[in-house]
Amino acid sequence: MTQTAVIFGGPSPEHDVSILIGLPATRALAAAGHDVAAIYWSKTGDFFAVEPDAEKEAFYDGVPRKSRPLTLGTTGFDGKKAPRPDVVVNCCHGGPGEDGTLQAALDLARIPYTGPTVAGAALGMDKFAFVAAVAAAGLPTLPRAVVSADAAEPPFAGPYIVKPRFGGSSIGIEVAADWPTARALAQQVVHYRAGAVVEPYRPDSVDLNIAARAYPAFELSAIEKPLREKGILDYRDKYLTGGGEGMASAPKELPASIASEIEKQLREAAATVATVAGLRGIARIDFLLYFNDLYATEIYTIPGSLAKHLWIDPPIPLTQLLLDMIEEATRRPSTHWTTAGADGSALRSAGSIQGKLG
């Protein structure tokens, strides 16, 4: 029997959310008859084999008791009774699990995995590059600018939303009344150390989200309209309300009651975003509706709860979503390396190495 490993956790602000994604995925696959290994990625960046039926309480103080240390190298996982997975289900939301770091390590270890490729993960995590990419594809976006202590004031007026350039789950989002405040925040908030971006603040806008998957065929989910309690939809709204089930239990309108022309526009835009981002696995694509103007804002390539709550039309249960992702991972490799053209002709035509030192 092939072995599936579910990796969750990770050294990121979304560590807890990732655990709450990985544990249900592990249970669902075990119930479906899979030989499942649960691999916990700690806040310090270390890997541990943990019990597949572990409860969330086991992680309150960090690494659960009786966990076995693992190392991930170019030949896979090593350690006492180390798992030898044929495929990895990546449930790491945010940080190095969603930005391409873990994907690159698994590529080098030649272990198939679910979710985005290195390139797709990196694009999705970079809020500045993502907007530039979808704008180049012809989609409307709100303008964004990089903010730092010495950055010039952007060509759009405040107030601004300040966001971590690299991050997820709306952690670190702030509203700044003016440019000096935005620059000050960029220097003070820990989540902005790797970079920050600003965009115009539109308090009267509406959030609209949709999930997408590319396998076994391209499909889009129902559209949801999260219901804000204040001007922005932040981490607390998404993950600390409704019993800790993330967006699945946060206040929402699902399916969203929107005009048919807006729904058509959003679905067409989501398909374009999926193409630009090289969709793999399940992603959630977020939009902002400002009166009658629709803007593409984010893509979460490993969304909280794997966006399972959005698959009501068509109705697809979590177990089936996971099984399809695993099949995609094994049938559609994440890497396409080739040595075509490396036939030795460049070596033969080159001069001596010593000569290149001059």
Side-chain angles (χ1 to χ4, degrees):
M1 177 183 290
T2 60
Q3 184 178 64
T4 302
V6 179
I7 299 181
F8 54 88
S12 82
E14 293 86 10
H15 178 88
D16 293 357
V17 175
S18 176
I19 293 173
L20 295 174
I21 301 172
L23 294 181
T26 303
R27 298 280 187 93
L29 289 172
H34 275 240
D35 175 17
V36 182
I39 300 178
Y40 170 59
W41 196 5
S42 74
K43 293 179 182 178
T44 58
D46 300 305
F47 293 99
F48 295 87
V50 299
E51 293 300 319
D53 60 351
E55 290 287 350
K56 63 184 180 65
E57 290 83 0
F59 301 87
Y60 283 174
D61 298 319
V63 180
R65 296 175 60 187
K66 298 183 180 180
S67 300
R68 303 190 308 276
L70 301 172
T71 58
L72 174 58
T74 55
T75 57
F77 289 95
D78 290 315
K80 184 179 180 181
K81 298 182 180 179
R84 294 285 183 262
D86 299 283
V87 63
V88 160
V89 176
N90 182 359
C91 288
C92 296
H93 179 53
E98 196 177 358
D99 70 3
T101 303
L102 179 60
Q103 288 81 357
L106 292 172
D107 280 337
L108 290 174
R110 300 185 181 183
I111 302 175
Y113 55 86
T114 64
T117 64
V118 172
L123 178 64
M125 189 60 74
D126 187 337
K127 291 182 172 63
F128 187 68
F130 171 75
V131 162
V134 296
L139 295 183
T141 64
L142 285 172
R144 278 186 186 163
V146 175
V147 55
S148 63
D150 55 356
E153 188 166 351
F156 50 88
Y160 305 100
I161 287 186
V162 190
K163 302 180 179 182
R165 178 172 175 178
F166 308 97
S169 297
S170 301
I171 289 180
I173 287 184
E174 302 279 353
V175 176
D178 50 42
W179 182 242
T181 303
R183 290 199 304 181
L185 284 170
Q187 299 305 300
Q188 297 167 4
V189 178
V190 63
H191 301 295
Y192 301 155
R193 286 180 180 172
V197 295
V198 295
E199 65 183 37
Y201 176 43
R202 297 286 187 263
D204 297 325
S205 61
V206 172
D207 296 291
L208 295 172
N209 305 330
I210 192 169
R213 67 178 193 156
Y215 190 90
F218 180 73
E219 287 184 286
L220 293 169
S221 72
I223 300 170
E224 75 169 335
K225 173 186 173 183
L227 302 178
R228 307 176 190 167
E229 294 184 359
K230 46 189 177 297
I232 59 174
L233 188 66
D234 62 13
Y235 178 79
R236 177 170 294 277
D237 296 326
K238 289 183 177 181
Y239 294 105
L240 301 183
T241 60
E245 290 296 321
M247 293 294 287
S249 57
K252 69 176 71 63
E253 187 178 277
L254 179 66
S257 179
I258 55 177
S260 58
E261 59 267 25
I262 295 295
E263 177 173 357
K264 181 176 183 293
Q265 183 184 351
L266 187 149
R267 290 183 175 278
E268 290 175 349
T272 299
V273 171
T275 299
V276 170
L279 175 65
R280 197 169 179 271
I282 295 171
R284 196 186 81 230
I285 305 168
D286 293 2
F287 295 85
L288 210 61
L289 180 63
Y290 186 60
F291 296 103
N292 290 319
D293 294 324
L294 187 69
Y295 302 101
T297 58
E298 322 278 356
I299 184 172
Y300 294 96
T301 55
I302 305 177
S305 300
L306 299 178
K308 63 180 181 180
H309 68 287
L310 295 179
W311 296 100
I312 60 172
D313 183 17
I316 308 174
L318 174 62
T319 300
Q320 190 60 53
L321 291 172
L322 290 167
L323 294 176
D324 289 342
M325 290 171 68
I326 290 170
E327 185 173 349
E328 178 186 30
T330 55
R331 292 195 175 190
R332 296 182 176 178
S334 56
T335 56
H336 301 279
W337 298 329
T338 178
T339 57
D343 57 3
S345 57
L347 290 173
R348 294 185 180 90
S349 63
S352 69
I353 301 302
Q354 184 61 38
K356 292 183 179 297
L357 300 177

